[in-house]
Amino acid sequence: MKVLLDEPQLQAGVARMACEISAHYGDQPLTIVGVLTGSVVLLADLIRQLEMPLRVGVLQASSYRGETSRGSMTINSDLLLDVKGRDVLLVDDIFDTGHTLAEVIPLLEQMGATSVKSAVLLRKQGRQEVKIDTQFVGFDIPNEFVVGYGLDYQDHYRNLRYLAALEPADLTDTHTGENA
Ligand code: IMP
Ligand code: MG
């Protein structure tokens, strides 16, 4: 594994995002919606740097089925709080192909959100497949598979305090130890 962003770099990026979000919304009440599971670490760090009146909800979107390629997407909004008439900021770990945000943003709009903007820790270069804008971005990263700070490979490594790129030797099955 190769470290791409260490802990101080990540903290500085999150602080920068919080400043931009605060400058944009001011004292306006905000509803933050985190996309499970990858956003949990960013969510915890980001909300503690925001001072406007804030509500936090989550929904789950899964497209990666334990591997590094895409499967079909499932969205579970059972745990989501009411977004009707609210300004919503969607928080996700990474903007990769963009399909997750492209599915979740219209869903929140259909649910009656007044506005929906998005914040992602990472944006992967050269991977975008859908034409959507994300307003707040922590870091642009090269096209590599990354783990840590919430991001996983086969549900592992979310707890790393840094962000690392996986190397071919790391792509073994985390359960059996065999090469994936
Ligand atoms: P999308 O392709 O923009 O829809 O991103 C879908 C999801 O894939 C993200 O929310 C992540 O959970 C996951 N993902 C994409 N790239 C990576 C990566 O490099 N490491 C770990 N997860 C990733
Ligand atoms: Mg995710």
Side-chain angles (χ1 to χ4, degrees):
M1 255 188 233
K2 176 181 80 196
V3 176
L4 275 191
L5 296 166
D6 63 18
E7 200 177 356
Q9 288 173 312
L10 287 168
Q11 294 308 327
V14 174
R16 187 167 17 85
M17 288 171 78
C19 280
E20 289 171 12
I21 293 165
S22 303
H24 181 80
Y25 290 100
D27 294 330
Q28 241 175 284
L30 186 61
T31 296
I32 298 233
V33 173
V35 182
L36 295 176
T37 305
S39 74
V40 292
V41 180
L42 171 64
L43 195 61
D45 282 348
L46 185 64
I47 60 174
R48 287 177 294 170
Q49 298 204 28
L50 297 174
E51 288 173 357
M52 70 281 281
L54 196 79
R55 300 154 80 230
V56 181
V58 289
L59 54 75
Q60 185 171 36
S62 19
S63 59
Y64 276 75
R65 305 217 170 254
E67 304 189 15
T68 54
S69 60
R70 260 186 97 231
S72 66
M73 189 167 323
T74 343
I75 297 175
N76 181 344
S77 56
D78 290 353
L79 295 173
L80 190 60
L81 37 61
D82 185 17
V83 297
K84 198 162 191 266
R86 311 282 183 160
D87 289 307
V88 173
L89 179 66
L90 193 59
V91 172
D92 205 359
D93 51 0
I94 187 166
F95 185 118
D96 182 26
T97 63
H99 287 286
T100 306
L101 295 183
E103 298 228 7
V104 175
I105 291 170
L107 183 72
L108 294 166
E109 285 168 348
Q110 277 164 34
M111 289 173 167
T114 304
S115 70
V116 183
K117 296 197 182 298
S118 57
V120 294
L121 179 73
L122 308 167
R123 182 167 55 192
K124 225 189 260 187
Q125 281 160 6
R127 290 274 302 167
Q128 190 168 349
E129 289 176 7
V130 291
K131 226 185 141 14
I132 56 159
D133 256 355
T134 185
Q135 287 74 30
F136 308 100
V137 179
F139 302 91
D140 279 301
I141 60 162
N143 183 8
E144 292 185 85
F145 195 82
V146 291
V147 295
Y149 199 77
L151 292 105
D152 73 300
Y153 170 61
Q154 296 185 345
D155 293 313
H156 284 71
Y157 309 120
R158 294 193 199 276
N159 55 317
L160 300 182
R161 304 171 80 102
Y162 51 86
L163 186 85
L166 287 188
E167 292 167 302
D170 301 318
L171 295 173
T172 52
D173 190 296
T174 48
H175 188 58
T176 64
E178 279 164 29
N179 222 274

